[in-house]
Amino acid sequence: MMVFAYYPDRQEGCRTNRITLRLTDSEMQWIKDSAWRSRMSQAEFIRSRIFSSKVPQVPEELKALLHKLDYSVSKVGNNINQIAHNSNAVGYASNPMIRKTLGLQEELEERCQEICNRIVEFIQNGCNEAASD
C-alpha cells in the first residue's frame, strides 16, 4: 500500500514561521492596549513595531574611543604576559615593568571612564530610541 501526501507549495509571503516570546503580565497588557488603540491585531502591532523600529547608529567618535579602549586593553594584557614570562624565567618581576603596567592600567581606567561618560551622553541625548507609547 502506498500513501501520497500532498503539501502545497508555500506561497511567497505566507507566514509560516513562529517566534515564541515570554512576557510579563504588564508587558502583555501593554501590547494588548497598544494594539487596540492602534486598531490592529496584536500580531500586526508587534510586526509594525519590529519592522519600523530604528537601530541607533553608533557615532564615529564613540567608535574611535572603543578602538582606543581595545588597544589599551591589549597593551596592558601584553605587559602582564611579559611580566609573567620574566617572573617565570628569573623568579621575580622588575620594578620598571610593574611601573609601566600600572601606568597603562591607569590609562585604561581613564579611557573606560571617558567611554562610559560618552555612552551616558549618547543615551541622554536621545540617540537610544525607546518605546514611548
Side-chain angles (χ1 to χ4, degrees):
M1 179 174 168
M2 192 177 279
V3 176
F4 290 98
Y6 174 72
Y7 297 103
D9 291 335
R10 292 181 179 171
Q11 297 176 351
E12 184 61 33
C14 182
R15 292 189 174 101
T16 57
N17 298 302
R18 173 177 288 236
I19 294 175
T20 302
L21 178 67
R22 295 188 185 278
L23 302 171
T24 64
D25 290 342
S26 62
E27 291 169 333
M28 189 65 209
Q29 190 60 50
W30 180 85
I31 288 174
K32 286 178 181 179
D33 294 344
S34 298
W36 184 82
R37 282 194 307 273
S38 300
R39 301 186 194 286
M40 295 182 195
S41 70
Q42 291 174 29
E44 287 174 310
F45 177 76
I46 292 168
R47 275 193 296 277
S48 74
R49 295 294 290 196
I50 291 170
F51 296 121
S52 68
S53 63
K54 296 176 185 166
V55 177
Q57 294 295 315
V58 177
E60 290 303 317
E61 178 188 355
L62 190 54
K63 286 181 186 178
L65 286 171
L66 290 170
H67 180 72
K68 287 179 185 178
L69 177 63
D70 182 51
Y71 179 73
S72 296
V73 168
S74 293
K75 281 180 16 181
V76 170
N78 287 338
N79 278 330
I80 290 171
N81 284 338
Q82 289 174 2
I83 289 171
H85 179 73
N86 279 354
S87 295
N88 288 332
V90 180
Y92 67 93
S94 70
N95 280 339
M97 288 187 97
I98 292 173
R99 277 195 296 275
K100 181 178 180 182
T101 301
L102 289 173
L104 289 171
Q105 182 182 352
E106 288 175 11
E107 178 185 325
L108 180 61
E109 289 171 359
E110 289 170 10
R111 287 202 196 284
C112 286
Q113 187 60 54
E114 181 182 358
I115 289 170
C116 288
N117 291 341
R118 290 294 296 134
I119 290 171
V120 168
E121 288 175 27
F122 180 65
I123 292 169
Q124 288 175 341
N125 290 334
C127 297
N128 184 16
E129 185 174 317
S132 58
D133 292 342

